[in-house]
Amino acid sequence: MNPFHYSKPVDVSQAISLAGAASRFIAGGTNLLDLMKENIARPEHLIDITGLPLKDVRETANGGLLIGALVSNADLAWHPLVEQRYPLLSQAILAGASPQLRNMASTGGNLLQRTRCYYFYDSAVPCNKREPGSGCPAKDGLNRIHAILGASDDCVATHPSDMCVALAALDAVVHVEGRGGKRTIEFADFHRLPEDAPQRDNQLADDELITAIELPPQGFVAHSHYLKIRDRASYAFALVSVAAALELDGDIIRDVRLALGGVAHKPWRDKAVEQSLIGQPVSRENFVAAAEAMLREAKPLEHNAFKVKLAQRAIVRALSDAATGGKA
Amino acid sequence: MSETTNQAFAEHVIALTLNGQPRQLNVQPWSTLLDVLREQLDLVGTKKGCDHGQCGACTVLRDGKRVNACLTLAVMCGGAELTTIEGLADGDTLHPMQQAFIKHDAFQCGYCTPGQICSAVGLANEGRAQTADQIKELMSGNLCRCGAYTNILAAVEEALPQSAAKASAVSEGGIDA
């Protein structure tokens, strides 16, 4: 890893004032330090934000939750209010990483982790995400783990997070603060599709810090399920994952959320598909139709065509499990 | 930042508690906790396996919680209470988890063992594993390439209640750290 300067600010405004294009904020460091060891990230200055007062989970006036950016993934997954009101989020977090990493990794940092595309991680080969304009070896290379939706000619990488798939389904809101002030970003708009600028994973400016994640009151407590399909039983990234949540009136679907992980540069939602399920009864036929519609624009690569059928089947299973109470 | 970048990269002084002893350390910002433990403090019980957070051989306890020392910067450990495998025993009396690993022959080459034991003590502190399946899932951050998993599971299953009792006694101040 390259030499760098280190600072530990005591409040948010001090942290933001130190930030710039050559600096990085560090909290858990579980992805950033790995990237630095591989020479993928070469910050000149690390700004340690672990001393900032962003460690609370508290209820909002409208009955939602405001989660401080520094709450660890483990503390969030096992927080009583999250377990009781947002079981989908608990499940998704516990499906990711290892207990050690979940103890270290922060809520804000989880959003900012970078793709595990092996070409992105190999500094000996070109990569448009790492070196803009250098090319994409994944498109015609080994692309079993890569995107089938929303990719571009420049990048076929996927976003690696499980937590973010649940946050997308729950319509979370990202609170950020920069030198220009505070703003909120709808979760669906936070991460980007690669288009012709895959070096940018999200909408944050260099001086902006995630301070909190807000969850709206609707947690789909009775009917939600996070299903993760991977190459081994634990501690592996998703080939495909599904966050499914239903609000039922008898067997009629009043509201539904469906988000996919492992298939795109960001958690994948399609509100038209969700809309098509509203007012319909819970049935295998309706779930199969929704699953096919979710993947209608899939463009598989040489080695990942299996993901299309896998995602469709995972959607049907996750919706069915959600309908019967979220137990696998 | 030009003033700062022209300066030599600063060494930082951190104060922490390591295996019950207060310590003051001079560290470079880019030194990982794992390298400081092994190279600077000669505490080589903590192992370097993958050095990328994938194998768990470097697992230590930070404020009672298990973490990967390879992905922890030492400079960020100021004020922390760290316990490594060297700090688990009470004098000549092994920690119940260490004793159980010996009893069940829960290793072959032994390289992953310090990380497995620290991880299992962290697991006990968390209090989330009740069944064998839950232990397996919550020990998945520690790989054993010899494949001693069956005996590791047996050791953890046996020592978990005693380790958990020890953890709650410590958090209630009943045992001297």
Side-chain angles (χ1 to χ4, degrees):
Chain A
M1 135 173 37
N2 62 286
F4 53 84
H5 298 283
Y6 168 85
S7 324
K8 188 171 182 181
V10 295
D11 59 41
V12 170
S13 61
Q14 200 182 356
I16 292 165
S17 72
L18 291 167
S23 71
R24 290 286 182 281
F25 296 120
I26 184 167
T30 54
N31 188 214
L32 178 57
L33 287 180
D34 196 27
L35 291 165
M36 289 167 68
K37 288 181 182 193
E38 295 287 1
N39 231 11
I40 310 301
R42 294 180 293 272
E44 292 173 12
H45 183 190
L46 280 192
I47 304 164
D48 176 355
I49 58 169
T50 59
L52 305 187
L54 305 172
K55 294 170 184 166
D56 293 335
V57 176
R58 56 173 209 268
E59 298 182 74
T60 58
N62 70 357
L65 280 190
L66 192 67
I67 302 157
L70 291 172
V71 175
S72 76
N73 288 185
D75 286 349
L76 185 58
W78 286 333
H79 194 286
L81 290 176
V82 175
E83 286 188 315
Q84 287 160 21
R85 299 183 192 173
Y86 305 93
L88 182 68
L89 179 58
S90 271
Q91 277 184 20
I93 294 170
L94 294 173
S98 69
Q100 289 94 322
L101 293 169
R102 293 195 295 266
N103 279 339
M104 302 166 73
S106 68
T107 299
N110 192 304
L111 273 63
L112 302 180
Q113 58 177 318
R114 308 210 68 191
T115 185
R116 276 14 179 238
C117 169
Y118 7 79
Y119 299 100
F120 172 71
Y121 255 84
D122 181 355
S123 59
V125 300
C127 168
N128 288 323
K129 189 179 273 300
R130 182 164 28 78
E131 299 290 342
S134 63
C136 174
K139 203 173 39 170
D140 301 309
L142 295 172
N143 46 39
R144 181 171 176 273
I145 65 169
H146 291 78
I148 53 174
L149 286 163
S152 70
D153 277 347
D154 288 336
C155 184
V156 294
T158 59
H159 194 264
S161 171
D162 291 294
M163 185 177 95
C164 288
V165 182
L167 290 175
L170 292 168
D171 274 344
V173 176
V174 186
H175 289 237
V176 309
E177 191 168 339
R179 284 195 283 270
K182 299 179 184 183
R183 63 176 177 135
T184 56
I185 307 170
E186 300 287 326
F187 205 85
D189 300 327
F190 182 81
H191 294 103
R192 297 179 65 257
L193 288 177
E195 299 171 333
D196 60 357
Q199 69 275 17
R200 291 184 55 218
D201 293 346
N202 56 59
Q203 308 285 3
L204 279 186
D206 288 335
D207 65 310
E208 281 184 317
L209 176 72
I210 297 174
T211 55
I213 306 292
E214 185 176 349
L215 295 177
Q218 172 59 288
F220 298 91
V221 174
H223 297 288
S224 65
H225 188 61
Y226 188 74
L227 175 63
K228 180 174 181 179
I229 312 287
R230 46 191 157 175
D231 281 327
R232 59 184 186 192
S234 183
Y235 197 13
F237 290 99
L239 290 167
V240 165
S241 70
V242 184
L246 294 162
E247 181 69 37
L248 299 180
D249 181 358
D251 73 337
I252 300 298
I253 298 167
R254 292 295 171 216
D255 196 4
V256 58
R257 305 286 171 75
L258 205 46
L260 305 183
V263 296
H265 201 256
K266 61 189 283 187
W268 190 262
R269 268 186 75 182
D270 188 329
K271 293 196 176 169
V273 174
E274 292 173 10
Q275 200 60 42
S276 75
L277 279 169
I278 292 176
Q280 301 293 316
V282 167
S283 75
R284 185 174 171 82
E285 293 69 34
N286 285 332
F287 291 164
V288 168
E292 285 173 359
M294 245 350 234
L295 275 296
R296 69 190 181 282
E297 288 172 12
K299 291 194 180 67
L301 304 161
E302 186 182 354
H303 303 111
N304 68 4
F306 73 96
K307 279 193 178 185
V308 178
K309 190 60 86 178
L310 186 65
Q312 289 172 336
R313 288 173 177 162
I315 290 167
V316 174
R317 192 172 128 200
L319 283 169
S320 304
D321 287 344
T324 56
K327 297 284 178 275
Chain B
M1 289 304 301
S2 58
E3 273 182 12
T4 319
T5 40
N6 288 336
Q7 290 168 8
F9 293 102
E11 213 174 56
H12 293 254
V13 182
I14 55 164
L16 49 74
T17 305
L18 179 56
N19 294 331
Q21 302 296 318
R23 300 291 294 259
Q24 192 159 303
L25 304 173
N26 292 346
V27 298
Q28 306 285 355
W30 48 88
S31 295
T32 63
L33 174 61
L34 176 60
D35 286 340
V36 169
L37 288 172
R38 290 182 57 86
E39 310 294 334
Q40 205 168 319
L41 302 173
D42 211 23
L43 289 169
V44 294
T46 306
K47 302 302 183 207
K48 183 180 278 195
C50 68
D51 208 23
H52 290 281
Q54 297 175 5
C55 77
C58 66
T59 303
V60 299
L61 296 165
R62 175 180 184 151
D63 301 325
K65 293 180 177 181
R66 42 185 169 159
V67 299
N68 300 109
C70 75
L71 292 180
T72 301
L73 288 177
V75 72
M76 292 173 70
C77 291
E81 277 194 34
L82 297 172
T83 305
T84 68
I85 189 72
E86 291 90 344
L88 281 180
D90 182 6
D92 288 337
T93 307
L94 292 180
H95 187 282
M97 195 62 75
Q98 291 174 304
Q99 198 64 59
F101 267 65
I102 292 170
K103 176 179 168 187
H104 289 275
D105 195 19
F107 37 74
Q108 196 178 110
C109 82
Y111 199 80
C112 74
T113 310
Q116 296 276 4
I117 291 174
C118 285
S119 187
V121 172
L123 176 75
N125 294 349
E126 289 158 11
R128 289 281 170 163
Q130 317 298 335
T131 66
D133 279 349
Q134 288 168 339
I135 293 172
K136 285 199 259 184
E137 167 60 28
L138 291 172
M139 286 295 291
S140 68
N142 292 82
L143 304 191
C144 169
R145 294 298 76 175
C146 301
Y149 293 114
T150 309
N151 294 5
I152 293 170
L153 176 62
V156 176
E157 259 188 302
E158 179 176 298
L160 207 52
Q162 224 183 324
S163 299
K166 194 174 157 83
S168 74
V170 170
S171 66
E172 286 157 21
I175 292 177
D176 289 339

